[in-house]
Amino acid sequence: MSDISTTIEELKQLIHDFVEERDWEQFHSPKNLTMALAIEAAELMEHFQWIDLDASRAIAADPKKLAGVAEEMADVFAYTLALADVLGIDMADTVRAKMVKNIEKYPADEYRGRYGPEDGQQ
Amino acid sequence: MSDISTTIEELKQLIHDFVEERDWEQFHSPKNLTMALAIEAAELMEHFQWIDLDASRAIAADPKKLAGVAEEMADVFAYTLALADVLGIDMADTVRAKMVKNIEKYPADEYRGRYGPEDGQQ
Amino acid sequence: MSDISTTIEELKQLIHDFVEERDWEQFHSPKNLTMALAIEAAELMEHFQWIDLDASRAIAADPKKLAGVAEEMADVFAYTLALADVLGIDMADTVRAKMVKNIEKYPADEYRGRYGPEDGQQ
Amino acid sequence: MSDISTTIEELKQLIHDFVEERDWEQFHSPKNLTMALAIEAAELMEHFQWIDLDASRAIAADPKKLAGVAEEMADVFAYTLALADVLGIDMADTVRAKMVKNIEKYPADEYRGRYGPEDGQQ
């Protein structure tokens, strides 16, 4: 588990260097990067497109399928960090601030087992 | 800059606890999470939908617009980590492995200033 | 059922006039329109994000939810026609040509009840 | 131009028969179809991902690129019609109703040359 020992900045720097070495900053406008991110998110969805919810959970135990999924997740992560890099956004601060908002918006006692005000559907 | 001092695991744990305290694991099938991620990626694109590439770069210097963009990026990041949590994927390993592939696929000398085999368009 | 009596061109013209009367051709570059289309497709997905496959089928019998879904579908349709208009693409010809390809690619006898070469999962 | 002589229903029927002949209704839950639609919309965006707005307009005059774009548009259109078929939605009625709303929401005199309340950016 290298998630335990790797900082956000280390991965951000890895992406930054890759882009800089190829002189690709010219393509990496925020508009283009959000498109790239949405496209990778769609490629990730493709792995789950025709299966039901249980089958999607079972992928966790299928190393071959999991590897394909993980690779798309890497692309999503990399473009998110590339965008953060271009815009000068600190992801750790941003995620923490959003989770504070979410904790206020969805009090645990009120939303336990329900996703929205009206429903508790799966 | 807390990206320098925050590990991937710390943010993953933050999301994990939020979901667990609300008993939301039942909604967080991988299929549903990939849809949630794609939806947030689209909400992020919305901020850049009608502007040109230069205007999208200018957002880095506009604190109010930047805050809106950052919040959508937090959602994308959070759902990616929630998915990694559910599937047992180490994001740091996965991103590093993908970047090794990318470095081989796009040799710096060959791809400097060009994005694909055929074009160098912006 | 006005789908029976309405041509593609009539709807395309409706969109064309709406855009022209507002002098919005300047915003409707193909790049921007594909973003708009992807964003509307994501808004459509939002209605199905946390529910299972059976619950998604049940929406056909829920007039209130169906109206919300139909409105997002109208947006998807409208942006597709706006893009066809800008690029000079005939949608009827294009869909027919693609279905000819699909019929060759997925012979009915071979693909009955299965979605891909390897699986017949729901 | 067969858009002039083709009704929505004719294309909807074409898709309906294709699905029925393969016994694919079982895969075509509304939830799955919205994912399929969003994925095709992303594949359409891919053609415009790294180019600027002017270059995206120029594709209208590039038959080879245009053919690739048109094929993705056919997929978007086909899945939208498949979803309308499954949900029993009349697309012509739905699009007309939405355009009536849009005409009220965006009075031509007020929105001429501007896309939103605050900006007139391209």
Side-chain angles (χ1 to χ4, degrees):
Chain A
M1 278 289 285
S2 68
D3 277 355
I4 288 172
S5 55
T6 304
T7 65
I8 306 290
E9 184 61 23
E10 286 173 82
L11 295 186
K12 205 193 250 180
Q13 192 62 46
L14 186 65
I15 310 301
H16 178 91
D17 293 346
F18 178 81
V19 173
E20 193 176 59
E21 282 160 16
R22 280 153 194 78
D23 198 13
W24 282 1
E25 298 91 342
Q26 61 189 297
F27 303 109
H28 279 206
S29 64
K31 177 163 174 142
N32 286 358
L33 287 173
T34 61
M35 292 177 82
L37 177 49
I39 290 164
E40 297 300 338
E43 291 182 8
L44 176 58
M45 272 204 299
E46 255 189 284
H47 295 257
F48 301 95
Q49 182 176 11
W50 301 116
I51 62 176
D52 68 16
L53 305 187
D54 287 341
S56 85
R57 291 187 193 272
I59 282 179
D62 181 329
K64 202 182 150 194
K65 287 189 182 167
L66 198 60
V69 168
E71 194 162 331
E72 307 293 359
M73 290 174 70
D75 290 335
V76 167
F77 216 72
Y79 277 125
T80 309
L81 293 174
L83 182 58
D85 188 40
V86 164
L87 291 174
I89 287 174
D90 187 276
M91 286 311 302
D93 280 349
T94 297
V95 170
R96 284 198 184 98
K98 185 60 192 275
M99 293 313 289
V100 168
K101 270 198 187 181
N102 280 340
I103 286 165
E104 279 170 25
K105 189 175 172 189
Y106 303 103
D109 286 344
E110 192 181 337
Y111 282 89
R112 188 159 295 118
R114 351 182 1 245
Y115 227 82
E118 41 151 329
D119 53 25
Q121 320 142 289
Q122 179 169 356
Chain B
M1 277 291 284
S2 68
D3 277 354
I4 289 170
S5 55
T6 304
T7 65
I8 306 290
E9 185 61 22
E10 285 174 83
L11 294 186
K12 206 194 248 180
Q13 192 63 47
L14 186 66
I15 309 300
H16 178 92
D17 293 346
F18 178 82
V19 173
E20 192 177 57
E21 281 160 14
R22 280 152 194 78
D23 198 14
W24 281 1
E25 298 90 342
Q26 62 189 295
F27 303 110
H28 280 204
S29 64
K31 177 160 173 143
N32 286 358
L33 287 173
T34 61
M35 291 176 83
L37 178 50
I39 290 165
E40 296 300 337
E43 290 182 8
L44 176 58
M45 271 203 301
E46 254 189 285
H47 295 257
F48 300 95
Q49 181 176 13
W50 301 116
I51 62 177
D52 67 17
L53 305 186
D54 286 341
S56 84
R57 291 186 192 272
I59 282 180
D62 181 330
K64 203 183 151 193
K65 288 189 181 168
L66 197 60
V69 167
E71 196 163 330
E72 308 292 359
M73 290 174 70
D75 290 335
V76 166
F77 216 72
Y79 277 124
T80 309
L81 292 175
L83 182 59
D85 188 39
V86 165
L87 291 174
I89 287 173
D90 187 275
M91 287 309 303
D93 280 349
T94 297
V95 170
R96 285 198 183 98
K98 186 60 192 273
M99 294 311 290
V100 167
K101 269 198 190 181
N102 280 340
I103 287 166
E104 278 169 27
K105 189 174 170 189
Y106 303 103
D109 286 345
E110 192 181 337
Y111 281 89
R112 188 159 293 120
R114 353 182 0 245
Y115 226 81
E118 42 151 329
D119 53 25
Q121 320 142 290
Q122 181 171 355
Chain C
M1 277 290 285
S2 68
D3 277 354
I4 289 172
S5 55
T6 304
T7 64
I8 306 289
E9 184 61 22
E10 285 173 84
L11 295 185
K12 206 194 247 182
Q13 193 62 46
L14 187 64
I15 310 300
H16 178 91
D17 293 346
F18 178 81
V19 172
E20 192 177 60
E21 282 159 16
R22 280 152 194 80
D23 198 14
W24 281 1
E25 297 92 342
Q26 62 190 295
F27 303 110
H28 279 204
S29 65
K31 177 162 175 141
N32 286 358
L33 287 173
T34 61
M35 291 177 83
L37 177 49
I39 289 165
E40 297 301 338
E43 290 182 7
L44 176 58
M45 272 204 299
E46 254 189 285
H47 294 257
F48 301 95
Q49 181 176 13
W50 302 116
I51 62 177
D52 67 17
L53 305 186
D54 287 341
S56 85
R57 291 187 192 272
I59 282 179
D62 181 331
K64 203 183 149 194
K65 288 189 183 169
L66 198 59
V69 168
E71 196 164 329
E72 307 293 358
M73 289 174 70
D75 290 335
V76 166
F77 217 72
Y79 277 125
T80 309
L81 293 174
L83 182 58
D85 188 40
V86 165
L87 291 175
I89 288 173
D90 187 276
M91 286 311 302
D93 281 349
T94 297
V95 170
R96 284 198 183 97
K98 186 59 192 274
M99 294 312 290
V100 168
K101 270 198 188 180
N102 280 340
I103 287 165
E104 278 170 27
K105 189 175 171 188
Y106 303 103
D109 286 344
E110 190 181 339
Y111 282 89
R112 189 160 293 118
R114 6 195 333 260
Y115 226 82
E118 42 152 329
D119 52 28
Q121 321 142 289
Q122 179 169 353
Chain D
M1 275 292 283
S2 67
D3 277 354
I4 288 171
S5 56
T6 304
T7 65
I8 306 289
E9 185 61 22
E10 285 173 83
L11 295 186
K12 207 194 249 181
Q13 193 62 47
L14 186 65
I15 309 299
H16 178 91
D17 293 345
F18 178 81
V19 172
E20 194 177 58
E21 282 159 15
R22 281 153 193 78
D23 198 15
W24 282 0
E25 298 90 342
Q26 60 189 297
F27 303 109
H28 280 204
S29 65
K31 178 163 174 139
N32 286 359
L33 287 173
T34 61
M35 290 177 83
L37 177 50
I39 289 165
E40 297 301 338
E43 290 182 8
L44 176 58
M45 271 203 301
E46 254 189 284
H47 295 257
F48 301 96
Q49 179 176 13
W50 302 116
I51 62 176
D52 67 17
L53 304 186
D54 287 341
S56 84
R57 292 187 193 271
I59 282 179
D62 180 331
K64 202 183 150 195
K65 289 188 181 168
L66 198 59
V69 167
E71 196 164 329
E72 307 292 1
M73 290 175 70
D75 290 334
V76 167
F77 216 72
Y79 277 125
T80 309
L81 292 174
L83 182 59
D85 188 40
V86 165
L87 292 174
I89 288 173
D90 187 276
M91 287 311 302
D93 280 349
T94 297
V95 169
R96 285 198 183 96
K98 187 58 192 276
M99 294 312 289
V100 168
K101 270 198 187 181
N102 280 340
I103 287 165
E104 278 170 27
K105 188 174 172 189
Y106 303 103
D109 286 344
E110 192 181 336
Y111 282 88
R112 188 159 294 118
R114 342 173 18 236
Y115 226 82
E118 41 151 330
D119 51 27
Q121 320 143 288
Q122 179 172 356

